[in-house]
Amino acid sequence: MRKAFTALAVAAAVVASGGVADAKTFKWGFQTDTSSLDPHAHNVTFTLGFLGNVYEGLVRRDADLQFEPGLATKWENVEPTRWRFYLRQGVKFHNGNDFNADDVIFSYERTKNEDANLRGRVVGITDVVKVDDYTVDFITEKPNPIIYYEWDTWFMMDKEWSEANGATTPTNLSKGVESFAAHNSNGTGAFMIKERQTDVKTVLVPNPNWWDKPQHNLTEVIMTPIGQDATRVAALLSGEVDMVYPVPVQDIDRVNKNDGTSVLVGPELRTIFLYMDMFRDELLYSNVKGKNPFKDVRVRQAMYHAIDIEAIKKKIMRGLSDPSAIMISPKLFDKSEGFARLGYDRSKAKELLAEAGYPDGFETRMDCPNDRYVNDEQICQAIVSMLAKVGIKSTLVAEPKAKYFARIAPKGGSDYAFGLLGWTPGSFDSWNVLWNLLATPTPDMGRGLYNYSGYSNARVDELADLIGVETDKAKRDALIEEAFKISTEEVATIPLHQQALAWGKRDNIELKQRADNQFRFYYVNVK
Amino acid sequence: MAAFILRRLAQSILVMLVVSLVAFYMFQFLGDPINQMVGIDTPQAEREALRERLGLNDPMIIRFGKFVMNAAQLDFGLSYQHKQPVVDLLMERMPATIELSLVSAIIAFCLALPAGVYTGLYRHRWSSKALLTLSLIGISIPTFLIGILFIYLFAVILGWLPSFGRGDVLTLPGGWTTGLFTVSGLKAIILPATTLGLFTLTLIMRLIRAEMLEVLRTDYIKFARARGLTNRAVNFGHALKNTLVPVITVTGLLLGNLIAFAIITESVFQWPGMGRLFLQAIQEVDLPVMSAYLVMISFLFVVINLIVDILYYVVDPRLRVEGHGGGH
């Protein structure tokens, strides 16, 4: 009896230690914590990217950002204003509940709530109809060729679970009602949250019942927010974590030179660009009175020619930027190679300025954030000095993003002459850029929300409307090309570059870096 | 006595009100909280609606009134960023900050006492001068830099101590979390507590030294020596004892400072305390968190001052005369 017991204990110990030997814990640190576990509460890349490991949408994007089936196996446009989604059968939520059409309709209703920051995902949808348990129709007001483009981060929640726990709406800030879903999760995704200490650490374990075949070999994931750049890099160098991002540009060398660590760099989708006030009749902070030099296309071209983008790339971005010619990442628009930047040419710039009536240039002010984009303030400093060399003398005002964005917004009085911004189209589609950055602003700001140049061209507006409803890809691309051609020729904005992503990791970690800076653990392998 | 305490309490409440009003007013210049709360392509109308619902369009005086009424009931609303009650957030992080501050106070005091006494007694020795020079460095290097230097030396190069976080914590009954009873928790607190305590250490050491020098010059020390008491009895029994009275008062006040100024240390070491919460709140213009934190810290200082005042009142009979209106 006793022998049998000992044998059993030994066997158990062997199994247990075997388990330990195979355990692959992956530790990583990011700048901040995920702001909430509620998938509909906060429209922020990092939070949604993190939750993408726990929750899933109807569609999914692979490591190259191409669409692939998610909780829907296929979808089709049955009528111009009716999209049909066929749901994957046999999918279970983490608590064991089945996923079906009712959950999709519930998630749609929940996202429509005014406290759901993700309302944009379902805007323009008039109704969602259950065809059968595993087929759902989305009815739209107008034809919408890109209805599902942002649905990889529109996550499905369990109706029964949400109702049972009082989580049918996201947290209501004004009424002070907190949602259960902000601290608890029940997704269908590859990982389940095992432990959550806000701002300290979040522990995830693989979902054993995941419908997809895991490509990872992890048994546990520990996420820690590490706010300070230096501390985050130190944590990687000292081996306390296996991966961190972002790695500041100036630390990349250090991480690469260190034994056992390296930095994975790749272009991000965000386009950094300059906007110029061309709507006011008199330029602010300028010695030019009674008119606005930026209204003259030659002045805008002169600015463009004055900027030495290669110097910015080399000196400030340390090689980690891709100069861009249009307002969208080349990765996201097939016809992008037809566009080229205006060359760096100082004498040409001076010539253009003289032609426009400013042989001696003029003075104004440049506005810039200093904690938003990679080396944003340094880029602005460089641009100020480059412009000064052709006669445009501007004083630089660089300030934290919270102040900067408030001041340059229409509500803050559009307080700028020209400045720097970055934009990533949430849908990864050109229409978003045309609509938000290049179309004429409407008084209610439904359109042209970030068209701080105040650029206005009737044909571009018309094209934006057409592109919004054109479902034929070839025709649509041609329309997009035309819109970018017009706005580029008229220098509506000056695109600068796509900044690079920098993920630091230990050499025994294999992962896939997505250009949208979302991190999926189901591609991670620990060797 | 009761009248004095009541009067001081009334003053304290007034101070709290003024502090919150100033804080409240300053937040107007921090930027727009809405921008940090919504996605970049959220339409203007939706932003406006959110602003309206949060009451951000109300006149400042109304917002302040609401804030005070709620704060009096310990309700600081929901954090814009974390979407959780602010009180919960602060309570969750308070143990970490208090533990860090206490440990650094202990480290500071335990090192400052012998160092101060030593440099006071043997002020001409080269080792005393070396200690004083070192302490000067401790005062002049910014906390941030010291923290980073510690991290690179002890975490990256030597690999002895963790560079961030609090290690494993235990939850005591009542919800208080502590890292002082786990190995990783103890290891994790060394660097941040030393960093935070360095300035206080230097200050107390120099204070003790100055007081020692002062006391050693007094007549009763001379007489004690004349009576033939041992050096040990004179230095520790008489001199040090009398030195400690002001030192303890200052140390008490410094503890308040440690809690309030743990912000930078917490941020460098990713210490999950209230200071870091506050710093993040500033970056994200999380108004409810900022207001609550400031009110709490000023409350702490007001309470410490109140206690110190009452103690003085008890200790020093001269103060009491005025209280009786000179009725004798």
Side-chain angles (χ1 to χ4, degrees):
Chain A
M1 187 65 206
R2 175 174 252 179
K3 255 184 191 164
F5 179 77
T6 316
L8 205 69
V10 169
V14 168
V15 170
S17 69
V20 171
D22 286 342
K24 301 282 190 193
T25 298
F26 172 68
K27 297 183 199 162
W28 65 287
F30 180 69
Q31 241 168 346
T32 61
D33 199 358
T34 164
S35 51
S36 173
L37 292 187
D38 191 322
H40 302 149
H42 210 174
N43 190 10
V44 170
T45 306
F46 178 71
T47 295
L48 294 176
F50 172 78
L51 288 174
N53 295 293
V54 179
Y55 285 96
E56 289 171 306
L58 295 176
V59 302
R60 203 163 78 171
R61 284 182 194 265
D62 66 10
D64 297 318
L65 303 181
Q66 300 304 310
F67 285 111
E68 57 181 21
L71 289 180
T73 48
K74 58 176 181 161
W75 46 90
E76 58 191 0
N77 203 351
V78 283
E79 288 165 30
T81 58
R82 179 183 283 261
W83 279 88
R84 180 158 293 173
F85 281 77
Y86 299 93
L87 307 183
R88 191 179 294 279
Q89 304 198 10
V91 173
K92 301 236 182 250
F93 284 97
H94 293 160
N95 69 353
N97 285 359
D98 280 321
F99 164 74
N100 56 36
D102 291 330
D103 298 315
V104 177
I105 294 170
F106 168 77
S107 299
Y108 163 71
E109 293 292 338
R110 194 176 190 273
T111 311
K112 266 199 334 191
N113 185 287
E114 63 175 4
D115 283 296
N117 209 198
L118 269 83
R119 270 160 83 191
R121 299 286 192 282
V122 294
V123 88
I125 294 171
T126 50
D127 200 12
V128 181
V129 183
K130 175 176 170 178
V131 179
D132 61 47
D133 270 357
Y134 292 96
T135 315
V136 183
D137 279 0
F138 290 83
I139 320 290
T140 56
E141 212 179 311
K142 291 181 289 188
N144 183 352
I146 56 167
I147 183 171
Y148 59 89
Y149 271 39
E150 288 185 67
W151 283 6
D152 57 316
T153 49
W154 177 43
F155 300 125
M156 295 294 125
M157 286 179 77
D158 181 15
K159 183 173 188 243
E160 290 80 18
W161 180 82
S162 305
E163 282 172 350
N165 292 302
T168 50
T169 54
T171 296
N172 184 328
L173 275 176
S174 42
K175 296 205 189 81
V177 185
E178 209 185 344
S179 177
F180 180 79
H183 305 286
N184 299 277
S185 65
N186 181 35
T188 56
F191 288 84
M192 310 189 288
I193 291 176
K194 188 176 112 186
E195 188 193 339
R196 163 107 176 125
Q197 294 176 47
T198 313
D199 235 13
V200 179
K201 69 171 176 182
T202 306
V203 182
L204 301 99
V205 289
N207 171 9
N209 303 315
W210 193 36
W211 56 268
D212 200 4
K213 192 176 169 317
Q215 296 179 37
H216 66 85
N217 69 347
L218 305 178
T219 51
E220 189 182 44
V221 178
I222 300 174
M223 175 187 66
T224 326
I226 309 179
Q228 289 293 337
D229 286 343
T231 314
R232 194 164 54 246
V233 172
L236 176 69
L237 294 179
S238 68
E240 288 164 84
V241 292
D242 301 310
M243 183 248 188
V244 292
Y245 78 97
V247 174
V249 173
Q250 47 279 8
D251 285 336
I252 289 178
D253 255 3
R254 209 192 132 76
V255 175
N256 279 332
K257 279 185 187 139
N258 183 53
D259 259 356
T261 58
S262 56
V263 178
L264 200 62
V265 291
E268 199 188 340
L269 297 176
R270 176 179 287 122
T271 303
I272 305 290
F273 64 95
L274 300 183
Y275 57 90
M276 296 140 282
D277 166 11
M278 56 176 95
F279 60 91
R280 277 196 188 85
D281 289 330
E282 185 176 294
L283 187 63
L284 294 183
Y285 313 107
S286 175
N287 58 349
V288 179
K289 297 296 167 202
K291 56 179 176 172
N292 182 344
F294 289 146
K295 276 181 185 279
D296 190 324
V297 67
R298 288 169 296 188
V299 174
R300 304 198 296 269
Q301 284 166 344
M303 281 177 82
Y304 204 146
H305 280 299
I307 294 170
D308 182 357
I309 198 72
E310 288 302 325
I312 293 177
K313 175 175 178 173
K314 209 169 127 197
K315 298 261 169 60
I316 297 167
M317 302 302 287
R318 312 216 181 177
L320 294 172
S321 67
D322 287 339
S324 40
I326 46 170
M327 288 296 290
I328 192 164
S329 160
K331 270 187 165 231
L332 301 179
F333 179 49
D334 298 343
K335 299 185 152 203
S336 58
E337 68 276 8
F339 293 84
R341 288 183 57 85
L342 291 188
Y344 169 55
D345 187 342
R346 226 186 267 164
S347 50
K348 179 97 200 225
K350 281 188 186 154
E351 220 170 87
L352 282 162
L353 276 178
E355 257 178 57
Y358 307 98
D360 301 320
F362 55 90
E363 289 169 19
T364 185
R365 188 180 87 184
M366 178 176 195
D367 292 285
C368 189
N370 62 15
D371 60 351
R372 182 65 189 91
Y373 313 111
V374 176
N375 291 340
D376 38 14
E377 188 175 352
Q378 291 94 309
I379 297 172
C380 291
Q381 277 166 351
I383 286 173
V384 164
S385 73
M386 287 167 185
L387 291 179
K389 284 180 184 146
V390 299
I392 303 175
K393 294 177 221 34
S394 38
T395 39
L396 176 64
V397 176
E399 57 194 350
K401 59 176 190 268
K403 275 199 78 89
Y404 170 75
F405 285 112
R407 197 160 48 77
I408 64 170
K411 195 173 163 65
S414 298
D415 182 14
Y416 56 82
F418 77 102
L420 179 117
L421 263 186
W423 187 268
T424 310
S427 58
F428 303 164
D429 177 76
S430 305
W431 181 78
N432 172 295
V433 174
L434 292 166
W435 185 258
N436 286 300
L437 303 181
L438 298 171
T440 311
T442 51
D444 68 341
M445 286 295 160
R447 190 175 73 182
L449 183 60
Y450 278 83
N451 181 356
Y452 287 164
S453 288
Y455 172 71
S456 176
N457 180 303
R459 178 62 184 158
V460 172
D461 291 350
E462 193 186 337
L463 285 165
D465 287 338
L466 291 172
I467 294 160
V469 295
E470 178 56 66
T471 45
D472 182 300
K473 186 173 184 311
K475 274 192 210 156
R476 197 166 178 271
D477 277 356
L479 295 172
I480 293 172
E481 188 181 24
E482 188 187 343
F484 278 137
K485 204 153 249 166
I486 297 170
S487 55
T488 304
E489 269 162 22
E490 298 190 331
V491 197
T493 56
I494 300 176
L496 296 174
H497 57 237
Q498 270 85 40
Q499 61 192 32
L501 295 173
W503 294 11
K505 64 178 194 68
R506 300 199 64 74
D507 293 340
N508 64 335
I509 305 291
E510 271 175 5
L511 51 81
K512 287 182 182 168
Q513 184 178 43
R514 281 174 43 154
D516 61 352
N517 213 12
Q518 291 196 24
F519 181 32
R520 294 281 188 269
F521 314 145
Y522 50 69
Y523 296 130
V524 176
N525 276 280
V526 179
K527 285 184 288 185
Chain B
M1 180 82 182
F4 171 81
I5 292 179
L6 272 179
R7 206 169 54 231
R8 278 301 277 106
L9 267 178
Q11 283 171 359
S12 304
I13 291 173
L14 192 71
V15 168
M16 294 280 302
L17 275 176
V18 172
V19 168
S20 2
L21 185 66
V22 170
F24 215 77
Y25 187 69
M26 282 191 330
F27 293 159
Q28 310 296 310
F29 304 104
L30 260 178
D32 184 6
I34 303 293
N35 270 323
Q36 317 294 322
M37 295 167 70
V38 299
I40 194 165
D41 40 15
T42 305
Q44 194 63 28
E46 224 164 278
R47 290 167 192 249
E48 247 343 285
L50 182 60
R51 184 186 300 280
E52 190 60 43
R53 281 193 298 128
L54 292 176
L56 290 172
N57 286 335
D58 296 345
M60 209 190 76
I61 191 72
I62 291 183
R63 287 168 56 197
F64 182 66
K66 273 189 199 157
F67 171 75
V68 171
M69 293 299 284
N70 290 333
Q73 303 161 45
L74 273 184
D75 174 10
F76 292 99
L78 291 189
S79 150
Y80 292 168
Q81 279 304 307
H82 299 267
K83 323 261 191 235
Q84 284 179 52
V86 173
V87 177
D88 292 0
L89 281 172
L90 283 173
M91 288 304 143
E92 208 177 285
R93 283 159 174 77
M94 194 186 291
T97 298
I98 293 193
E99 218 165 85
L100 176 65
S101 307
L102 279 179
V103 170
S104 56
I106 292 169
I107 291 179
F109 198 74
C110 290
L111 293 179
L113 188 67
V117 170
Y118 183 82
T119 48
L121 290 180
Y122 310 106
R123 60 193 173 124
H124 296 300
R125 288 194 188 170
W126 70 265
S127 46
S128 284
K129 285 176 185 152
L131 268 176
L132 283 174
T133 316
L134 262 179
S135 76
L136 207 62
I137 297 174
I139 278 193
S140 23
I141 300 183
T143 312
F144 183 83
L145 197 63
I146 293 180
I148 300 283
L149 287 176
F150 276 1
I151 289 177
Y152 271 94
L153 183 62
F154 293 104
V156 177
I157 297 177
L158 297 171
W160 291 348
L161 297 166
S163 58
F164 72 96
R166 210 181 160 200
D168 295 326
V169 292
L170 302 175
T171 308
L172 302 178
W176 184 277
T177 57
T178 176
L180 296 181
F181 299 109
T182 62
V183 176
S184 68
L186 281 174
K187 276 174 122 177
I189 205 169
I190 296 175
L191 290 186
T194 315
T195 306
L196 179 60
L198 212 56
F199 184 78
T200 314
L201 188 163
T202 315
L203 216 63
I204 299 179
M205 173 188 144
R206 289 180 161 255
L207 185 69
I208 292 180
R209 175 177 176 272
E211 288 287 331
M212 277 300 269
L213 291 176
E214 188 77 17
V215 172
L216 286 173
R217 272 201 296 271
T218 55
D219 290 340
Y220 73 88
I221 297 293
K222 287 180 190 149
F223 285 122
R225 287 199 202 283
R227 275 170 61 208
L229 293 180
T230 58
N231 265 345
R232 195 188 147 92
V234 174
N235 290 342
F236 294 96
H238 291 111
L240 181 61
K241 234 188 208 167
N242 284 300
T243 305
L244 285 185
V245 182
V247 171
I248 287 169
T249 317
V250 171
T251 310
L253 285 172
L254 280 176
L255 183 63
N257 270 352
L258 283 179
I259 294 177
F261 299 117
I263 295 178
I264 296 171
T265 310
E266 287 185 2
S267 153
V268 173
F269 289 96
Q270 194 66 24
W271 192 262
M274 297 185 294
R276 209 162 55 81
L277 183 74
F278 178 64
L279 209 64
Q280 284 174 340
I282 293 179
Q283 280 161 3
E284 306 293 342
V285 201
D286 196 339
L287 297 176
V289 172
M290 288 192 288
S291 327
Y293 178 80
L294 280 176
V295 167
M296 238 191 62
I297 291 295
S298 39
F299 180 72
L300 187 81
F301 275 93
V302 163
V303 168
I304 290 179
N305 274 312
L306 187 65
I307 293 173
V308 169
D309 279 0
I310 292 172
L311 282 181
Y312 279 154
Y313 189 86
V314 172
V315 171
D316 194 339
R318 282 170 299 183
L319 281 172
R320 263 172 273 171
V321 177
E322 184 235 3
H324 287 290
H328 288 289

